Amino acid sequence: MFVSEVEFMLHIPKTKIIRLKGQKLAKLNERIHQRDQHKCIYCGNRVDPGEKFHHEHNGIKSDQIEYGVLLCMDCHTERHHGKKCNDVKEYCRKYLINLYGESIYSK
């Protein structure tokens, strides 16, 4: 039996996007700072309290600890716009996979 593309797509489970605001987002940010010991995971420089974490997601930007890492401003800029953006991305992903397992990027 042939399944149409539409029928196939209807059976794909959706990934829930979590968007936090206010105190809940601040608490998540604090938890990521604590987990990463207030240091950039890429270069080791100190990251000031309150500096927003970087989302290293799998196509969907969701406010979850499994997708957040601390990057200093220089490494954050490098991740998005630099020549080493793929290196920083891969480093962030490996860091999170080491903490939470491979399944976080297969959702």
Side-chain angles (χ1 to χ4, degrees):
M1 175 181 202
F2 180 74
V3 178
S4 74
E5 186 176 342
V6 173
E7 289 174 313
F8 177 76
M9 292 182 77
L10 292 175
H11 292 91
I12 297 174
K14 289 186 176 182
T15 301
K16 185 174 180 178
I17 299 171
I18 298 172
R19 302 303 294 158
L20 302 177
K21 295 180 182 178
Q23 289 298 317
K24 289 182 180 181
L25 182 58
K27 184 66 175 170
L28 174 62
N29 198 48
E30 181 181 319
R31 288 178 61 209
I32 292 171
H33 272 260
Q34 290 172 349
R35 183 200 64 204
D36 296 345
Q37 300 175 339
H38 305 282
K39 295 179 185 174
C40 173
I41 65 157
Y42 192 71
C43 73
N45 284 338
R46 179 166 168 67
V47 177
D48 291 332
E51 185 73 42
K52 188 148 187 294
F53 64 91
H54 166 70
H55 291 87
E56 191 59 60
H57 50 84
N58 189 24
I60 298 171
K61 189 174 179 179
S62 189
D63 294 332
Q64 295 171 261
I65 197 166
E66 297 92 340
Y67 300 113
V69 296
L70 277 189
L71 295 174
C72 67
M73 290 302 286
D74 290 340
C75 291
H76 201 168
T77 300
E78 184 68 32
R79 166 60 186 93
H80 289 286
H81 310 290
K83 293 178 183 175
K84 297 188 298 182
C85 65
N86 288 328
D87 293 340
V88 178
K89 176 182 179 176
E90 190 61 29
Y91 190 91
C92 291
R93 285 178 173 246
K94 285 180 181 179
Y95 177 82
L96 291 169
I97 287 169
N98 185 52
L99 290 173
Y100 302 105
E102 294 266 348
S103 65
I104 64 169
Y105 288 111
S106 62
K107 291 180 182 176

